[in-house]
């Protein structure tokens, strides 16, 4: 199976942490909302499937992917939030603007994560076409929202592991 037709949302699920008392924020960009809503569904359902409580998942909407950085920072600064998942879709190829947005968001979310010492997950699709976006949001290539949620869970597990072996 080539990577072109692989369902990319297959991940290892052994050794996942107990997330029943963990609190998550999911940020959703309104641009290309037909896709970002599907990413949200994937992320939300995956958190629930692996043990999160519905009341511990908060959703925040931002106008476009560029605003994911600031929105994520506001949530990540909250003491009660353990992890932030940022979801957006930036379709490439129409204008150079897209490259600027992608780089700004990738760098911005990295900064938020480092500043707050919390997992801040990059769930931004950067496909060439809307069709490719839909294929990765519940289509033949799986759902990147699922993967983003699983990444948040795994990073919380790693953090517990690291903290158990030392002191901060
Ligand atoms: N936001 C997205 O989430 N996806 C896009 O594909 C997207 N394309 C844009 C293209 C242009 C030319 C501009 C000006 C904005 C675009 N945005 C997009 C919105 C951007 O993320 C942000 O909301 C606005 O630039 C306001 O800061």
């Amino acid at each position: 199976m080539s990577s072109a037709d692989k369902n990319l949302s297959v991940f290892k699920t052994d050794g996942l942490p107990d997330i029943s008392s963990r609190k998550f924020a999911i940020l959703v960009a309104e641009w290309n909302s037909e896709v970002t809503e599907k990413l949200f569904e994937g992320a939300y359902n995956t958190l629930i499937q692996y043990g999160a409580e519905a009341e511990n998942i908060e959703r925040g909407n931002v106008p476009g992917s560029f605003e994911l950085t600031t929105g994520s920072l506001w949530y990540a600064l909250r003491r009660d939030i353990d992890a932030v998942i940022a979801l957006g879709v930036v379709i490439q190829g129409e204008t150079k603007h897209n490259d600027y947005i992608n780089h700004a968001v990738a760098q911005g979310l990295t900064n938020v994560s480092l500043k707050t010492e919390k997992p801040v997950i990059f769930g931004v699709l950067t496909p060439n076409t809307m069709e490719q976006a839909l294929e990765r949001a519940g289509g033949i290539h799986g759902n990147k929202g699922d993967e983003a949620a699983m990444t948040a869970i795994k990073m919380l597990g790693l953090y517990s592991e690291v903290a158990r072996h030392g002191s901060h």
Side-chain angles (χ1 to χ4, degrees), residues 29-32 36 63-67 88-92 94-95 97-98 101 105:
E30 288 166 358
W31 265 70
N32 302 311
T36 59
S65 293
F66 188 77
E67 284 72 39
V89 175
V90 182
I91 311 273
Q92 304 266 13
E94 278 155 28
T95 146
H97 230 85
N98 301 305
I101 295 171
V105 178

Side-chain angles (χ1 to χ4, degrees), residues 30-148:
E30 288 166 358
W31 265 70
N32 302 311
S33 62
E34 64 272 45
V35 187
T36 59
E37 286 303 324
K38 292 197 160 82
L39 294 176
F40 172 76
E41 275 170 34
Y44 182 89
N45 291 338
T46 297
L47 291 178
I48 296 289
Q49 184 184 345
Y50 289 95
E53 297 292 337
E55 67 262 28
N56 288 336
I57 305 173
E58 266 186 57
R59 173 180 170 150
N61 299 318
V62 293
S65 293
F66 188 77
E67 284 72 39
L68 287 170
T69 298
T70 316
S72 293
L73 178 64
W74 290 336
Y75 278 98
L77 284 172
R78 260 175 50 183
R79 289 178 65 94
D80 61 326
I81 296 288
D82 295 300
V84 178
I85 298 165
L87 304 174
V89 175
V90 182
I91 311 273
Q92 304 266 13
E94 278 155 28
T95 146
K96 261 188 82 113
H97 230 85
N98 301 305
D99 273 346
Y100 297 130
I101 295 171
N102 295 341
H103 290 142
V105 178
Q107 193 60 56
L109 294 180
T110 302
N111 290 340
V112 173
S113 186
L114 294 176
K115 181 182 166 72
T116 61
E117 299 184 22
K118 292 177 182 177
V120 177
I121 308 304
F122 182 83
V124 180
L125 296 185
T126 59
N128 289 315
T129 63
M130 177 56 81
E131 190 188 0
Q132 288 176 351
L134 288 165
E135 285 172 359
R136 288 159 181 76
I140 57 163
H141 292 309
N143 191 323
K144 287 285 171 191
D146 297 14
E147 290 177 46

